[in-house]
């Protein structure tokens, strides 16, 4: 099977093992639980699951269960009816309805309140949802993929996560290894991100000296790929020459690795030339996701099919993009606003309006 791996770069055996499982489970409708430390790229893996599934031309709808206040999350997931609460001036579909026919990604499922976990369990069992304030149920055809950086078995033991929901979600477990366990992938990724940031900033390519590569290989990367990306962007801005030396690296890295002369020599994998990343079709995170090769503007039929008016449609699209930007930025509003192409103050106003 020719896998679309959504730009995931790596040649390590640990990552190859992940791809083997991905290739087997992606074409099915089985529920998948993706685990891994924060910053390892779990959403990229989930998007690859969707891109290689039979639902690839249907909606992919992500929601970060830890980024939305508990009192709002139920409405976001299941929608609400007009008058369900003070500011519910009209009915609104939730993420499960918007994902109908496609995939919903419940990120940071371990952060979800126990009362909501019961309702997620019902969706998995009965394939139906009930809007907040609603009196009837709606059938939904949705594949559920969840992700967490928590140890859910420990959460169960401490009474914070339902055991029955865990077993419903954990049909096929997929564990994304931390960067420190991916060997030569550290240098592959470092070179890739350096090239990306240098091109973005219109500066000549930067190269890593042998000693700098030894330091990067020895560092434990507690923040995983997200931390590596941030460091490579910093170097693309601050390094004046064309070769990065150990003294150019952040003090945090140098302090941890210690004496340079005591570091091991580079593994053979360090000599591998970084392959050009495969350009992968983006998976739209909107309720009108269409075949991934082209963007197609929504039509009135979309509003009719989703029983939405124009204002509701635009609000839904905006909220989903904001949530995705916040998730991509790790909750940092400045960075999220930059992804969205708006001012930070504008983003904060939109978030306050949504919570009111």
């Amino acid at each position: 099977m020719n896998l679309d791996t959504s730009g995931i770069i790596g040649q390590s055996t640990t990552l190859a093992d992940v791809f083997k499982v991905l290739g087997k489970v992606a074409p099915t409708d089985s529920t998948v639980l993706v685990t891994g430390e924060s910053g390892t790229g779990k959403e990229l893996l989930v998007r690859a699951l969707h891109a290689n599934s039979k639902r690839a031309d249907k909606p992919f709808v992500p929601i970060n269960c830890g980024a939305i206040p508990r009192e709002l999350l139920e409405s976001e997931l299941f929608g609400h009816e007009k008058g369900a609460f003070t500011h519910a001036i009209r009915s609104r579909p939730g993420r499960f309805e918007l994902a109908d026919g496609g995939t919903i990604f419940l990120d940071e499922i371990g952060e979800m309140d126990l009362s909501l976990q019961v309702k997620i369990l019902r969706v998995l069992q009965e394939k139906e949802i009930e809007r907040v304030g609603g009196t009837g149920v709606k059938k939904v055809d949705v594949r559920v993929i969840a992700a967490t950086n928590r140890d859910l078995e420990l959460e169960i033991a401490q009474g914070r996560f339902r055991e029955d929901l865990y077993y419903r979600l954990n049909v096929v477990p997929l564990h994304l290894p931390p960067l420190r366990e991916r060997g030569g992938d550290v240098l592959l990724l470092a070179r890739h991100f350096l090239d990306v940031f240098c091109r973005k900033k219109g500066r000549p390519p930067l190269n890593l000296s042998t000693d700098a590569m030894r330091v990067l290989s020895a560092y434990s990367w507690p923040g995983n790929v997200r931390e590596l990306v941030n460091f490579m962007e910093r170097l693309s801005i601050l390094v004046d020459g064309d070769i990065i030396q150990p003294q150019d690296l952040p003090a945090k890295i140098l302090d941890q690795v210690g004496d340079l002369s005591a570091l091991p020599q580079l593994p053979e994998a360090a000599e591998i030339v970084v392959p050009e990343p495969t350009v992968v079709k983006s998976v739209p995170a909107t309720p009108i996701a269409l075949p991934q090769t082209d963007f197609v503007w929504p039509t009135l039929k979309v509003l009719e099919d989703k029983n939405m008016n124009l204002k509701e449609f635009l609000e839904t699209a905006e909220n989903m993009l904001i949530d995705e930007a916040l998730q991509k930025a790790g909750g940092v509003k400045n960075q999220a606003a930059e992804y969205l192409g708006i001012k930070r103050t504008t983003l904060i106003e939109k978030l306050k309006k949504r919570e009111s």
Side-chain angles (χ1 to χ4, degrees):
M1 178 180 178
N2 186 21
L3 278 179
D4 173 352
T5 54
S6 297
I8 303 173
I9 296 173
Q11 299 176 344
S12 62
T13 54
T14 53
L15 197 58
D17 290 341
V18 172
F19 287 155
K20 284 180 184 177
V21 178
L22 187 151
K24 292 178 180 179
V25 71
T28 75
D29 268 345
S30 296
T31 305
V32 179
L33 179 62
V34 180
T35 58
E37 295 178 7
S38 180
T40 49
K42 293 188 290 296
E43 182 168 351
L44 274 179
L45 188 63
V46 173
R47 287 182 177 273
L49 279 167
H50 177 75
N52 291 283
S53 75
K54 297 174 183 177
R55 299 171 180 259
D57 62 343
K58 301 297 183 182
F60 174 83
V61 180
I63 183 166
N64 188 324
C65 301
I68 299 175
R70 183 177 60 184
E71 59 274 13
L72 296 178
L73 184 56
E74 182 177 3
S75 174
E76 284 292 325
L77 286 168
F78 306 115
H80 61 255
E81 298 292 356
K82 181 179 179 180
F85 46 84
T86 304
H87 298 285
I89 58 176
R90 60 176 57 86
S91 297
R92 180 172 175 238
R95 301 296 177 91
F96 274 96
E97 286 182 71
L98 299 177
D100 195 24
T103 304
I104 189 168
F105 171 37
L106 303 176
D107 196 11
E108 300 305 342
I109 188 76
E111 309 292 330
M112 184 177 287
D113 186 71
L114 282 167
S115 62
L116 273 182
Q117 291 178 28
V118 177
K119 298 188 176 183
I120 296 296
L121 182 61
R122 175 174 177 171
V123 178
L124 290 169
Q125 291 174 334
E126 308 297 334
K127 307 296 183 185
E128 61 187 27
I129 58 100
E130 183 176 343
R131 288 184 178 182
V132 177
T135 56
V137 297
K138 293 176 180 285
K139 287 289 184 181
V140 288
D141 172 25
V142 175
R143 183 187 193 179
V144 176
I145 300 177
T148 183
N149 58 11
R150 294 191 177 213
D151 180 343
L152 291 188
E153 293 188 355
L154 179 60
E155 295 295 302
I156 291 168
Q158 296 179 350
R160 292 193 294 263
F161 202 83
R162 292 182 62 96
E163 187 173 18
D164 48 5
L165 177 58
Y166 171 68
Y167 288 119
R168 279 283 181 176
L169 293 171
N170 199 37
V171 175
V172 180
L174 253 181
H175 180 71
L176 197 55
L179 188 55
R180 61 183 172 275
E181 294 178 7
R182 290 176 53 183
D185 285 357
V186 171
L187 297 181
L188 286 172
L189 287 162
R191 291 163 171 164
H192 167 72
F193 290 123
L194 269 178
D195 288 345
V196 168
F197 288 123
C198 287
R199 285 198 300 269
K200 281 185 177 180
K201 298 176 190 337
R203 64 164 295 168
L206 276 169
N207 294 306
L208 291 160
S209 69
T210 300
D211 284 343
M213 287 192 284
R214 290 170 64 203
V215 172
L216 294 179
S217 296
Y219 181 59
S220 67
W221 298 105
N224 291 294
V225 179
R226 185 180 295 129
E227 183 181 19
L228 177 63
V229 172
N230 290 341
F231 281 154
M232 293 306 104
E233 182 174 13
R234 185 187 310 177
L235 293 173
S236 73
I237 296 170
L238 299 180
V239 173
D240 293 323
D242 57 3
I243 298 179
I244 297 171
Q245 301 293 345
Q247 58 266 29
D248 295 316
L249 300 176
K252 177 182 177 181
I253 294 179
L254 297 174
D255 290 344
Q256 189 195 90
V257 302
D259 184 7
L260 179 61
S261 63
L263 296 181
Q265 295 301 311
L266 288 176
E268 292 182 9
E271 302 305 321
I272 298 174
V273 177
V274 183
E276 282 296 316
T278 303
V279 178
V280 177
K281 303 168 290 185
S282 62
V283 183
T286 73
I288 55 166
L290 290 160
Q292 298 168 304
T293 51
D294 298 290
F295 177 77
V296 180
W297 291 101
T299 64
L300 288 176
K301 189 175 185 305
V302 174
L303 300 185
E304 293 171 5
D305 290 345
K306 295 297 180 183
N307 192 27
M308 300 168 74
N309 61 33
L310 179 61
K311 186 172 186 295
E312 290 169 338
F313 177 83
L314 294 175
E315 285 177 352
T316 300
E318 179 178 276
N319 285 336
M320 292 177 72
L321 289 169
I322 287 174
D323 289 342
E324 185 176 359
L326 285 168
Q327 183 174 347
K328 185 177 179 181
V332 179
K333 292 184 176 64
N334 281 341
Q335 187 66 53
E338 185 175 332
Y339 288 141
L340 294 165
I342 61 177
K343 294 181 179 178
R344 180 178 181 273
T345 52
T346 302
L347 175 59
I348 291 172
E349 286 173 5
K350 290 180 179 295
L351 291 171
K352 286 181 178 177
K353 181 179 177 182
R354 191 167 74 174
E355 294 171 7
S356 62

